[in-house]
Structures are given as C-alpha cells and as structure tokens.
Amino acid sequence: MAVLAHSAGESGRARRPNIARERSPFVVALHDAGITALIAFGVLLPLIGFQTVQNINEVLVLRTRWPLLFSLVAIIGASRFVYAVSVAPWLARRAARPVAAAPPGWRSLVGRWFVPFAIGFVIAYPAIVLFSAGFRGALKWVDNFGIQILIYVMLGWGLNIVVGLAGLLDLGYVAFYAVGAYSYALLATHFGFAFWILLPLAGILASFWGILLGFPVLRLRGDYLAIVTLAFGEIIRIVLVNWVSLTNGYAGIGGIPRPSFFGIPFTADDNGFAAVFGLQFSPIYRTIFLYYVILALALLTCFVTVRLRRLPVGRAWEALREDEIACRSLGINTTNTKLTAFAMGAMFAGFAGSFFAARQGFISPESFTFLESATILSIVVLGGMGSQIGVAIAAVVMIGGTEIMRQLDFLKDIFGSTFDPTQYRMLLFGFAMVAIMIWRPRGLVATRSPSVFLTERKTIAADLVKEGHG
Amino acid sequence: MDYFVQQLINGITLGSIYGLIAIGYTMVFGIVGMVNFAHGDVFMVSAFVALIAFLILTTWLGVTSVALSLFLMLVAAMLFTSLINWVIERVAYRPLRGSFRLAPLISAIGMSIFLSNFVQVSQGPLNKSVPPLVQREFVLFNRNNYPVTLSYKQLIIWGITAVLLLAFWYLVARTRLGRAQRACEQDKKMAALVGIDVDRTIAITFVIAAALAAVAGTMYVMYYGVVSFSDGFVPGVKAFTAAVLGGIGSLPGAVVGGLLIGLIETLWSAYFSIDYKDVAAFSILAITLIFLPQGLFGRPDVEKV
Amino acid sequence: MAEAIDTLLRVEHLTMRFGGLVAVDDLSFEVRQGHIAALIGPNGAGKTTVFNCITGFYKPSEGRLGLRHGKPAVWDALDALTDSGARRRIHPNGTLFLLERMPDYLVARQARVARTFQNIRLFPGMTVLENLLVAQHNRLMFASGYTLLGVLGFPSYTRAERSAIDKARDWLNRIGLLARADDPAGDLPYGAQRRLEIARAMCTDPVLLCLDEPAAGLNPHESAELNELLLAIRDEFAISVLLIEHDMTVVMEISDHVVVLDYGVKIADGAPDAVRNDDKVIAAYLGIAGEDVQSVEAEVGL
C-alpha cells in the first residue's frame, strides 16, 4: 500500500513538467493564481463581502466591505502565485534530492541535552523573569505563560496516557478536569479542607468518575468512543450549569480558598508569607509558589507515565493500541487495562483541576467546554502521540502562542484602536490545528522509543506504530 | 392530547432540520470514515449565507414575493456553502487522506473552531435576528381554548425536506454518481482500479452534504429568525446523534434518526425539563452507541479475528 | 470415563451458527496430551471458527469444550462441572475447564490455551523483545504488585522482569531472532514474524498451542525449520499442538493425528496415513462427490 501511494506521488510529480513544457511556468502560475483568486472570491463573498449589523432601530441591515474583500482575494491569489513560482519548484527539487544520510551529530547532541536543559530552564524561569521584567512585569509572565502553559502540559501528559499510549480516543477529557476543580471548590468552601488534603482526594474522585464513565464506554471502538466521551463530557457540563443548588450554575463558585505555603497564607498581614520571611508584600510570591506547585505536579505526571511505560501495565496499554485481539489471546484483560488507562488519565486531570480551582479562586462551567477537550487533544496529537517531549513542546507552542495574541496591543497602533488582537486568538488556533496536521500528520515527535532493550535502544519509525482503534 | 399533537408537529419540524444535517454526517462518514466535526459549523455558515441573502433580497432589491425570496435564499445558501465545503475538503481533509487516522479528526476539529471564530470575527458575536418571513398559520383544531396550530413555515419545511430527500435519494440510489459513492465506501483502492475518480467522488459527497446542510440552515433561519456564530456545535452534535441512531452510513436511517431526535427533544422539553434537553440528546447518543452501535438501519459490525 | 486416558482437549458436539449459516456442525474430536493434531479441510470449511470457539473469541451456539490440567482422572468430574454451571473445577489432581464458558482472555490466562492468527497479529510498533514481554503480562503484573510496587521501584519487580527477559532471550535464541531483539516486530521478514508469533504464544506458558496456518507463506526451507520448532515444542515441553494447515507436507510429517472438516462437518479423523487415503477426504479436496473419486482419479491418471 505504501508502495502504491509512493508511486502515485511519483507520477503526480512527473506530470507537472510535461505541462510546463507546453506553457511557461509563469503562465501556469498565473493561471493557478487566477483560479485560486476566483474560488477565494466565491468563498469570501458572503461573509466578508457583506456584514450584518444592527442599526439604531435595532433592525438588521447589511454593510458592504468591498475593499477588505478584494484585498483578501488579492492576497490569496498573490500567495498562490508566489507559491507556484518559487515554493513549489523548491519543494519538488528538495523531494527529488536523495535523503541525506544519518543526521549530523548536532541532532543527537541536542536530543541528549534538550531534556536536562528544559528542566533547568523551567525551574529557573521565575528567577529569570524576575530579573528581566521586575516584580510588576514578572507577574504576567509567571502566571499567564508559566502556570497557564504548565497546566496544559500536565493535562496533555495525562491525556497522553489515554490517547497516546492506550490508543483510546477521548474527547471528553475536560469532564475529569471539571470533576477535580469542582471537588476542590465545593469541599474547600463548604468544609474548609486544605489544598494538600483535597489535591489527592480530587484526583481519586476524578479517577473514580473515569472508571464510572469508562465502564460502559470501553467496548466501543474508533470514532464511536470519541463521540460517547464527548457526550459524557457535555452531560457533565450541562449538569454543572443546571444543578444550581450545588454548583451555582453559570454564576460559578467564588471565594475558593487559595493554597497556603505549608500553613503560611500569602496575605499582606503580619502572619503572611512576606512578613514571616521578612520580605516586602507582593502578589508575586503566591504566583511563584503556584508555579512551582504546578511544575511539581506536571513533573510527577511525567515521571509516573515514564515509569508506567516500563511496567507491564504500560506495555499492555501500548500493546492494546497495537492490536487488541492479540492482547486478548495473550491473556490480558483488555477491559481492566483500558479502565486503568482511563482512571490514570482522569486522576491527573483531577489534580490539574483542583490546582486550577485553587489558582483561580473562582470556577464556572464556562471553563470546561468542549473547546478545552479539543485543545488538550490537539496538544497530544500535535505533539506526537505517546511522546512526552512532543506534548510539552506542543503545549508551549499552542498555549503560549494564543497567550501571546493577548499581548499584542501594539497592533492597535497599526490597525487602529478598534482592532482587537484577542478576537483572532481562536481563529488562528483553529487554523494552526489544521495547518500543523497537514504539515505533520503524526505530530512533532512521531517516533517511539522502546520501553526495554537487550543491547541497544533503537528508535521505532512512526509508520510502524499503530494509532489504536479505540 | 392537544398539547401532545402540537409538540409532535414542532418535533417533526425540528427533526427535519436535524435529519438534513445528519445526512451530511452519514454520507461523509460512509465514504471517508471520519466524523466531520466541522459539519455543524458548515450548517451555521449556511444559515448566515441564507440570512445575508435574505437581507439583500428584502432590503436592497425589494423582493416582496415570499416564494421567490425563499427560493433564492435556498439557491444562494446551497451554492455558497457547497463551494465552501468543497474548499474545506480540498484544503483540510484531502491532504490527510490515507494518513494517520486521528489527523483528519483533529483537522476537522480545527476547522470547526476556525469556522465559528471566522463568523464571529467577520459578522460579530451578537445574535442576528430577522423579521419573520412567513407568518401565517392555520388552526388544526381548537378544544379547551388550546389551539393546535400548524404554521406555513412548518409546512414549507416538511415539504422542502421531503422533496429534497427524494431527489437526493434518487441521486444516491439510482445514478452513476451514487454507484461510484457506494463503491468508494466499500473499497477505495478497488474503486480506483475500475476507473472511478475517488477524489472527485469524495469531493462531490462533501458538496452534497453541504448543500443539504444549507437547506437545513435556510430552514433554520426562516423558522427561528435568529442565528449566531455558536449555533453550529450543538445542532451538529445532535444531528450526529441522529445519524448514529439511524445507523451510520444509512440515508433513510439519518432521516428517521433526525425525526426521532427532534421528537424526543421536543417532548422532553415539553414534559420534563427544558434545561436538560441537551442531556436527553447526549444520553440517547451514548445509550445508542453502547447498546445498539449499528443503529436502527445500519449493518452490524462483526469483529474479525 | 476410562476412555479419556490422556486426553487434553475434548470437543463435543460443537456447533457454531452465524445467523442462518452453520459454520461448524456437530463437531467432536479430541487432542491428546503431547500430540500434534492437525485440523485440515478446504477453504471455508470452518477451521478458524473452531479455533475461535476453542480460544473463546466466539461463543459456540452449542457444544462442550473440555480441557484438563493435571491428571487424566479429573475428566471424571466433567458432567458434574457441566451441571454446576461453573467455568472450572479445581481438583487435588488438577483442574478441569469448560472453555465455552470462558471469555477469550481467561482461556489464555487460566486454561492456558495460546494461539496464533492466520493474518499475523504481532505488535508491529513494539520491539521483538517487548512483544515477548507483553506475553508474560500476567506474571509480571503480579510481580509488580499490580503496578503499585513497580511504580515505587521495588526490587521484586526488577527481578521478575529480568527473568522474563531471560525467558524471552531463550526463545529468541531458539527461533534465531536474538540479533533482532531490539528491532520493531513490524520490520521483520514474513517468516520471522510467523516464528515470533509462535514464540510469543509459547511465552504465555501454554498447555495447548493453537496455530492457525503457521506455514502459510513460508518457503520450503522455512517450512522445514517450522517443523523442527513444532516437534521441539512437543517433545521438550510436552505441550500439545493443534494446528490448521494447508501445507500437506507439514501436516503429514509432524502430525500425530488429523481431523478433516468439510462444510463444517467432520469427514475423517485418524492417523495421517489413514486420512491421506480416505476417499471422502480426497473427494472433498477435489470438490467432487465421494463415489466419483475412483473415476476422477482414473481420468487424471493417478
């Protein structure tokens, strides 16, 4: 089959020069660009060409945006032209060139030093930011970038167990994140338990829900499993919205107690963290503390996952992804194996959820929509299923990228004060998901590293690794 | 009883809309084996196209004939939505055909996020409401001061749905194109070997799916008179539920499933709780998939050892 | 039940229906301890269906599938076990299982029936060594304290894993794949994949090994190696083998006993030589009625 696809690609590539002989490449490119522009015009005409706005009488009227429409069409046509003239021949030449022999030494060198360097960097990150941005500026960098990204790294790693290792497609992962967050919020506000007691409890509750929801679902395969998990995720969210007496509905739960520094609260008074340690009060201390808490949780997730991969349960997960029927013929109870994957993934989501509630101090169902599940899943797939490093990089790119969109206020100077860059955040996010999939359908790190070896650890090529059918 | 009949009428109307969207899911799943996550958003886009066409017709061109403007709305929505879905298939799905199974799904999710945000950015986040196009209704019977009514717009929806379903059924069951589609469903490589243009067949499937979603979108605007950028996801999931309930891959199944979901949702809201109406739909989805994965009209899937 | 002296597996009145189609019809046969039994028949005769019933992947429509561990005397409890409704009865002398009552993974885990598949089912993205470790899952799972002790890094698991690796190394040595232990299984040539699948099944410590067309796609040299491997498994490990095979040289050379199926019905059962000359068997393979065998043989000049 691979051979067939390959030869099809060859012939497709071979056809192009024939056409080129008849007409000059320039004319061909112009022709392509014209057609592309025409299609773009058709696609953009209704929604860009016209805008529906309410007038003073609150009646919907139309406005036209011809300049915008035509400039977009022109941009698209021009880019197609540039692509056809310069990028496509370059790609064809690159594809025609034989693949370079073994990668140069720097690659393995980067591979070896990347992980220690990355861990060192994230540990030193708050200090680096404090020095470079000062106390006031650092808050944003530690909170919006550091903590926010680390939450998604942790969620990505948690979901990676389910999707990447066990090959079970879960589109409702955010449900367990919500269970963790609401467990912490409700138990902390009603009973006043401390963060460190509730953190494991939230994890246990979430994994309990994982098993509960997993049990009926796990005999399903393929996309059906994905859809049912999505349905369960939505059901949990709708219940959170509508069970007002418990969850306060859309209004959410506020005043959630913040974690303290092992008993010392981060307050401005005399018993507060700053006073005890003889420092000037600043909200940054709590943020930095939270940063290290989520860093520790994320590293714990990673450590446990790496450990599990080398244990029989982890190997059974991967075997399940490779061939479920073969697993059963070897005496592996596939239901239990899937459930442990589900429960394990849910537990880490529960941890992350309770941390999220403690960090925000306020939660509402809005934070647990399908979009969150989709974001986490896309981080896992974009990173490369099963790869810890790939998932971490994908989280940094996707979450960091969308956070940067919030910071681009200078664009207002260019496009005028009505321009709001944050509006385009999710637009670009969706676009990036499509683009990265087309660029690397198997994610950033697609190869698999074996869990055990006899003489030498060899990386396994991506096309051999199965993706699971559950 | 009267109340029940009224709910029945409303439910069938809603179900017709779901059924039309569900066909798109079923056809695309049948032929490329992927859940086209963006299909609900394609439906939403078509509703916006219909809305804009309506505004052009009524406020600019001053068309007063309801039948004419409805017809032109339908044509415009079907035309532009088909083009948009054709481009989506070409750009976001075709390059991923035959690769990693999750890649098209993620791409579709990305496309869904892109489409809804594109509409939000280009048309604004507010609900868009238009004056009702068709207002007349007739009273079927009136007892105990509870009139059971059937509106013209409901009748129009029933009629258009029925006619278009017949047309598309003919297309799929009786024409060369339909045979090519079924052949691609069974075995793409073999279909290509006997001379079927697989890429073209798949592209046409996406176009048909979009055209039917556009019919649903136009009906939606006409029926409710309001649409917003976020209206794609939930109807999309419900239509998918309908497709699954009917048996994915089966055209009549999608329609019956759509009607059932519409009825269940309406009756659930009427008799139990409107807040939890989506829970009803999602629960049915889960229960169907768990206990009747082949749906009402689908073929059972025997595990091959 | 004196007739069941050293019977390991008893298939009695096995019937499997798919809707209206009867794939296996009232089939009875036995596999003896330490024997290689072959299940042969034309394509579509229902051989793989029999395998799927024995290994628990299908639940038979009718029939009883008994398997014993330990002394032959445990067979005496067969009827009592059947009436009790239980899956197995543990005796001081051994254990008796009713396979048709067990789900697939318990057939492998408790009754210790291992199998291979017609279309090889390795874990292609895992290394050869990992494939063999997954086969030892249940023992390692216990040693890792069901993961808990393993996560905490207890030495008991490290020891168990080392012995599991040793066992895998032994088998790799035996099938000539030691040098490729760290390569992905999907990269192996076809014949090596077949051998690896057999080794993987053997790593589950079975009492009965069911092989579905192990020689399919092998060249004569590889076939001969396979024969040696199967004979070694029988003689060294005293394991019974039940195999489906189309390659008659393999079947005739190594089987102690042959059962022939045609359209789901048993048409012959006996020693290889007796079966080879059975008119009904020849007729089934030639696709003609039994009484025409003589004339057809004359026609083709046999």
Side-chain angles (χ1 to χ4, degrees), chain A residues 122-380:
Chain A
V122 290
I123 289 173
Y125 178 74
I128 296 169
V129 171
L130 271 182
F131 275 112
S132 53
F135 266 52
R136 191 158 294 185
L139 195 61
K140 179 181 83 185
W141 286 97
V142 175
D143 195 44
N144 290 1
F145 286 87
I147 296 180
Q148 186 74 2
I149 290 174
L150 281 174
I151 288 179
Y152 281 93
V153 169
M154 178 167 177
L155 288 169
W157 279 341
L159 184 62
N160 199 14
I161 296 176
V162 184
V163 179
L165 294 184
L168 304 166
L169 188 48
D170 183 357
L171 281 181
Y173 191 60
V174 78
F176 308 124
Y177 186 44
V179 167
Y182 272 87
S183 308
Y184 175 72
L186 291 171
L187 293 174
T189 47
H190 288 299
F191 302 106
F193 289 132
F195 175 73
W196 293 108
I197 297 170
L198 288 178
L199 183 74
L201 199 64
I204 290 167
L205 277 172
S207 64
F208 171 74
W209 275 90
I211 292 171
L212 209 66
L213 296 187
F215 210 69
V217 160
L218 289 176
R219 5 182 252 147
L220 297 171
R221 297 193 292 157
D223 295 335
Y224 283 8
L225 176 75
I227 298 298
V228 176
T229 49
L230 181 150
F232 277 144
E234 283 297 294
I235 288 174
I236 287 192
R237 190 182 63 84
I238 297 168
V239 169
L240 289 179
V241 168
N242 288 301
W243 194 355
V244 178
S245 61
L246 180 75
T247 65
N248 204 19
Y250 275 121
I253 301 174
I256 301 167
R258 302 307 199 75
S260 57
F261 185 78
F262 305 103
I264 306 167
F266 289 94
T267 47
D269 54 37
D270 289 345
N271 302 321
F273 178 82
V276 169
F277 287 87
L279 301 161
Q280 181 136 35
F281 174 76
S282 161
I284 191 88
Y285 297 126
R286 189 207 329 259
T287 309
I288 290 175
F289 174 67
L290 286 174
Y291 175 86
Y292 282 113
V293 169
I294 186 68
L295 180 61
L297 284 173
L299 289 178
L300 176 79
T301 311
C302 185
F303 171 78
V304 170
T305 311
V306 168
R307 231 355 185 329
L308 287 176
R309 268 198 74 207
R310 292 176 190 159
L311 287 173
V313 70
R315 284 198 199 108
W317 288 339
E318 293 201 78
L320 199 64
R321 180 191 67 202
E322 297 284 317
D323 195 324
E324 178 173 349
I325 286 172
C327 277
R328 293 191 337 226
S329 83
L330 297 173
I332 295 173
N333 183 341
T334 48
T335 310
N336 284 356
T337 309
K338 288 177 183 178
L339 278 179
T340 46
F342 235 62
M344 203 55 91
M347 184 181 79
F348 289 121
F351 288 158
S354 69
F355 173 82
F356 175 76
R359 169 221 186 190
Q360 302 288 99
F362 166 80
I363 51 167
S364 79
E366 295 289 287
S367 310
F368 308 104
T369 55
F370 169 69
L371 192 64
E372 290 297 308
S373 288
T375 306
I376 303 164
L377 180 68
S378 62
I379 286 173
V380 173

Side-chain angles (χ1 to χ4, degrees), chain C residues 43-61:
Chain C
N43 286 325
K47 304 181 297 289
T48 301
T49 307
V50 173
F51 259 41
N52 286 340
C53 289
I54 293 173
T55 51
F57 281 88
Y58 290 165
K59 195 157 180 49
S61 313

